[in-house]
Amino acid sequence: MILTIAAAVFVFGLLVLVHEFGHFITAKMTGMRVDEFAIGFGPKLISRRRGETVYSLRAVPLGGFNDIAGMDADNNTAGERGFCAKPVLSRMIVILAGATMNFILPIVLFFAIYATLGEGKPSTEPVIGGVIQGMSAEQAGLKAGDKILSVDGQAVTTWADFTDKLKNIEAGQNILLKYERGAEISEVTVSPTFNEQEKRILVGVQSSIVYESKTVPEAFTAAIEHTKEITVAMLEGIARLFKEPEQTENLAGPIGIVQMSGQVAERGFIPLLNFAALLSINLGIINLLPVPVLDGGHFVNLFIEAVRGKPLGSKAIAYTQRVGIALLLMLMLFATKNDLVRVFLK
């Protein structure tokens, strides 16, 4: 539980810090007054003023915000330094900077991993790299580093051999695994389960990872390419949600993300950094959706202002924001329902 909480705070804190820093630094660069830069919500734990800005750490580490003066044109106390008083282009830059930082973060994380450890790829050896908590393999006592030798007496020489043999097993059917741990060879019985999300039989083990060393330029190029591949895959996944409504059952909310953070953290710090990179890309994409109250929605309003030559009226903005909040609340409730079903009913 402590590891899960610590992992979730680390991941959420890192993503929010980077996102809000994007808004903060571009607001400063374009001459806007920033009254507060906060990580978290709720009561202040630590608060320091530097110049005109208060920097604070708050009690609930699941968000953050920048208090940029003049975001509300009807309540601009900063005059020409207010957000609403700046040129449209400056405001667009500030609005897009948060999501932009969420795409830069994974490049930095992947680059750091590739430049120091190398690029991780699944090993072809039938060696367990990780055991998923609560599943049959863990209950049977299997551990990372165990080498699978056979499945029901059939020899296994590669990880592909192992997974191919599992395809012919039915959910709930007991299978005998022979494995090697150090100098000892042992046998254990496991009972695979059918995973609805992945549509396949699982015993709860993951392959080991081997790292291919890279030069600094190779690591940088690979980090950019990997970030691009994940971004494209996520966009395709969002498109599938509209084409295949049943895919919405795979949506995860805060509870699901916290649970996954703990599971990934059990495999080590590097997997947790990879997970943070994936979530950062996801956060960047979600924030750019043209939904009112999200950064993408604000950008659409600014684009309309640029075309019209004047901003939308306060009533129109208030109405669209209410619609946006309602949509986000419905999505959050649906995702939370999925989380609760996965945690308590599966």
Side-chain angles (χ1 to χ4, degrees):
M1 178 60 74
I2 294 177
L3 179 62
T4 296
I5 294 173
V9 169
F10 169 77
V11 170
F12 279 111
L14 178 62
L15 267 56
V16 169
L17 175 64
V18 167
H19 182 92
E20 294 301 331
F21 179 76
H23 293 311
F24 170 79
I25 195 64
T26 50
K28 289 283 192 179
M29 291 172 63
T30 53
M32 298 177 189
R33 193 185 80 197
V34 183
D35 294 331
E36 183 176 358
F37 177 77
I39 298 299
F41 294 111
K44 294 179 182 178
L45 299 178
I46 302 174
S47 179
R48 295 286 186 274
R49 177 178 289 277
R50 293 290 183 271
E52 65 187 9
T53 305
V54 174
Y55 300 86
S56 63
L57 178 66
R58 294 174 176 252
V60 184
L62 300 179
F65 63 90
N66 278 288
D67 185 4
I68 302 175
M71 291 295 292
D72 180 3
D74 295 330
N75 187 31
N76 179 21
T77 61
E80 293 182 355
R81 296 191 60 207
F83 178 87
C84 61
K86 292 297 179 180
V88 172
L89 180 59
S90 296
R91 285 179 278 158
M92 285 181 169
I93 290 172
V94 173
I95 288 298
L96 293 179
T100 300
M101 289 297 292
N102 284 125
F103 290 107
I104 292 175
L105 175 62
I107 294 175
V108 172
L109 294 179
F110 290 142
F111 170 75
I113 294 170
Y114 297 163
T116 54
L117 297 177
E119 185 175 5
K121 295 184 177 180
S123 172
T124 58
E125 293 291 313
V127 176
I128 297 174
V131 179
I132 300 175
Q133 185 177 12
M135 295 195 68
S136 179
E138 184 202 39
Q139 295 168 355
L142 290 171
K143 297 180 179 179
D146 292 345
K147 182 177 182 180
I148 305 297
L149 301 178
S150 68
V151 176
D152 283 340
Q154 300 179 57
V156 168
T157 57
T158 66
W159 189 263
D161 281 346
F162 174 56
T163 56
D164 285 343
K165 287 177 171 54
L166 291 182
K167 292 177 183 177
N168 300 320
I169 305 298
E170 295 182 1
Q173 176 183 339
N174 290 332
I175 58 174
L176 184 66
L177 298 182
K178 180 183 287 187
Y179 65 96
E180 182 179 42
R181 180 182 297 169
E184 296 184 3
I185 295 178
S186 306
E187 293 183 336
V188 67
T189 299
V190 298
S191 179
T193 56
F194 183 77
N195 185 280
E196 289 288 345
Q197 185 172 346
E198 299 188 30
K199 305 299 182 184
R200 62 191 179 101
I201 290 291
L202 299 176
V203 296
V205 295
Q206 298 161 327
S207 65
S208 56
I209 301 296
V210 294
Y211 291 91
E212 297 180 359
S213 61
K214 291 186 176 295
T215 64
V216 169
E218 288 173 341
F220 184 66
T221 301
I224 293 175
E225 285 298 316
H226 193 35
T227 300
K228 183 174 72 173
E229 291 169 0
I230 294 171
T231 302
V232 171
M234 286 186 176
L235 289 172
E236 291 173 346
I238 292 174
R240 281 198 298 273
L241 291 178
F242 294 96
K243 296 178 182 178
E244 306 170 23
E246 65 274 10
Q247 293 292 328
T248 55
E249 296 297 326
N250 297 328
L251 288 175
I255 296 174
I257 293 173
V258 168
Q259 184 184 39
M260 286 185 282
S261 297
Q263 292 172 346
V264 173
E266 290 178 350
R267 295 164 51 198
F269 187 61
I270 299 302
L272 187 62
L273 289 181
N274 276 288
F275 182 64
L278 294 177
L279 282 184
S280 187
I281 295 171
N282 186 67
L283 178 61
I285 292 173
I286 295 300
N287 261 285
L288 289 178
L289 293 177
V291 177
V293 309
L294 293 179
D295 291 343
H298 287 303
F299 182 81
V300 170
N301 286 342
L302 290 173
F303 180 79
I304 294 173
E305 179 180 339
V307 172
R308 295 175 74 230
K310 60 179 181 179
L312 290 172
S314 57
K315 289 185 178 180
I317 292 176
Y319 174 75
T320 58
Q321 287 183 338
R322 283 196 291 269
V323 172
I325 291 172
L327 290 173
L328 289 179
L329 282 175
M330 286 190 293
L331 180 62
M332 183 67 69
L333 289 172
F334 185 80
T336 301
K337 183 270 295 181
N338 286 350
D339 291 342
L340 295 174
V341 169
R342 277 191 289 266
V343 171
F344 296 107
L345 300 181
K346 292 188 178 181

